[in-house]
Amino acid sequence: MEIIMKDIKYAPIGVFDSGVGGLTVAREIMRQIPDERIVYFGDTARVPYGSKSQDTIIRFSRQIVHFLRTKGVKAVVVACNTASALALETLQPELDIPIIGVVTPGAKVAAETTVNGKIGVIATESTIESQLYTKVIRSHNPRAQVFGKACPLFCPLVEEGWLKDPVTVEVANRYLEPLLATGIDTLVMGCTHYPLLRGTLHQIMGEKVTLVNPAYETARELKCLLEEEGISNDGMKPVKENMHQFYVSDAANKFRQFANSILPFGVDTTQLIHIEDY
Ligand code: DGL
């Protein structure tokens, strides 16, 4: 038993998203818990998730978790707000390893950060419709008023690399104007692509609005969880950058280029898998 526990410590963390956005979460995990190895899956063949039904998101997420388990992961991070909002609750009881999402950690911090009790949430249509951010924020801060806004054009703009382009600024102005008018003092970037637009969002929302990045909070929560479960890598087998693994369901080269633009090291290989087989 002791040997098994020792081995679990050196097992990787499975991280998945509908595509490249979850790399912002993987990046935070690498920063905050550099001793942990990551197996990342980006569902680039079936992105976007943000406009799909709950049944579909559950089916996709279940297949991905099956795939990650074949890689011997010790825990799973659902690095996609949409899958966290629509599938996590269903998958949790099906698994015998810890699985966490990005919504609860982000919502908790937003509830603690606000001073005037007015919180904005920007996310995909499905995440906003699920109302999960609102529920979790209210469970921590019952008096909070939550203003949700779906921003479906942000993901393609990020994937195009137009992070500070005038077109992106114009689109962001249109989306954020009604939120600014509500007087929010906290804005949750509730889609894993959005932290890459942080500069533009900050410019529009101004100094008085705190931007919450659930990726940062999720990495913190993962660190605590691994420690509590006694399955953190003890550093006896240090992780090198080339030990992280990246898998996708389509367009491996495009994914690799994107990964290279946001991760602090070069990603040499991205492997293509047929996710429908899992
Ligand atoms: N990564 C997804 C999320 O955080 C957004 C992209 C998509 O629609 O698939 O919700």
Side-chain angles (χ1 to χ4, degrees):
M1 189 62 188
E2 198 193 332
I3 293 166
I4 293 169
M5 280 307 285
K6 259 186 183 168
D7 285 348
I8 284 177
K9 287 184 176 175
Y10 307 125
I13 309 287
V15 178
F16 78 89
D17 177 43
S18 56
V20 295
L23 288 168
T24 59
V25 181
R27 181 175 65 179
E28 272 311 321
I29 296 171
M30 290 168 188
R31 264 188 205 147
Q32 294 187 36
I33 343 178
D35 283 336
E36 299 297 342
R37 194 154 55 88
I38 289 176
V39 177
Y40 184 94
F41 176 77
D43 202 355
T44 44
R46 304 186 294 193
V47 67
Y49 280 12
S51 50
K52 295 196 169 67
S53 71
Q54 182 166 28
D55 285 352
T56 300
I57 302 302
I58 290 173
R59 187 169 68 82
F60 289 177
S61 302
R62 193 177 275 133
Q63 284 173 336
I64 296 167
V65 170
H66 285 169
F67 163 69
L68 291 172
R69 297 228 59 182
T70 67
K71 299 290 158 198
V73 298
K74 63 183 172 186
V76 174
V77 177
V78 185
C80 172
N81 288 265
T82 309
S84 300
L86 303 185
L88 180 61
E89 204 182 348
T90 305
L91 294 184
Q92 233 150 12
E94 296 176 6
L95 279 176
D96 57 359
I97 55 171
I99 178 168
I100 61 167
V102 285
V103 171
T104 303
K108 237 184 329 197
V109 169
E112 287 159 7
T113 303
T114 184
V115 176
N116 71 3
K118 292 183 180 177
I119 298 170
V121 177
I122 49 174
T124 65
E125 283 162 310
S126 305
T127 302
I128 295 296
E129 272 166 27
S130 78
Q131 296 271 339
L132 185 63
Y133 267 107
T134 307
K135 280 180 215 148
V136 181
I137 288 171
R138 289 249 179 82
S139 71
H140 291 275
N141 184 344
R143 289 197 340 227
Q145 275 180 283
V146 184
F147 304 90
K149 177 79 187 153
C151 305
L153 293 176
F154 277 170
C155 286
L157 288 167
V158 168
E159 297 206 3
E160 204 56 37
W162 293 8
L163 304 184
K164 289 186 176 156
D165 190 276
V167 171
T168 309
V169 175
E170 173 61 27
V171 169
N173 266 310
R174 292 270 281 273
Y175 282 144
L176 299 177
E177 212 170 274
L179 286 179
L180 264 174
T182 62
I184 55 167
D185 68 359
T186 305
L187 178 66
V188 182
M189 298 180 283
C191 170
T192 49
H193 283 67
Y194 300 178
L196 297 170
L197 294 175
R198 188 179 198 117
T200 298
L201 300 175
H202 177 69
Q203 191 189 319
I204 296 170
M205 298 310 292
E207 294 295 332
K208 290 189 183 140
V209 177
T210 305
L211 299 181
V212 172
N213 180 3
Y216 181 83
E217 308 309 331
T218 303
R220 274 180 50 167
E221 188 168 311
L222 176 66
K223 187 169 192 277
C224 294
L225 179 75
L226 296 176
E227 283 165 6
E228 271 164 35
E229 298 275 329
I231 55 174
S232 303
N233 187 334
D234 55 15
M236 296 298 282
K237 289 188 186 175
V239 170
K240 296 198 188 86
E241 288 166 354
N242 63 3
M243 288 163 98
H244 300 299
Q245 293 171 44
F246 299 89
Y247 295 87
V248 289
S249 48
D250 199 5
N253 274 339
K254 195 173 171 210
F255 176 91
R256 198 168 44 77
Q257 278 166 18
F258 197 95
N260 282 332
S261 73
I262 74 159
L263 292 179
F265 56 86
V267 174
D268 301 332
T269 48
T270 304
Q271 297 175 58
L272 195 64
I273 60 145
H274 195 249
I275 194 65
E276 296 282 354
D277 292 345
Y278 291 88

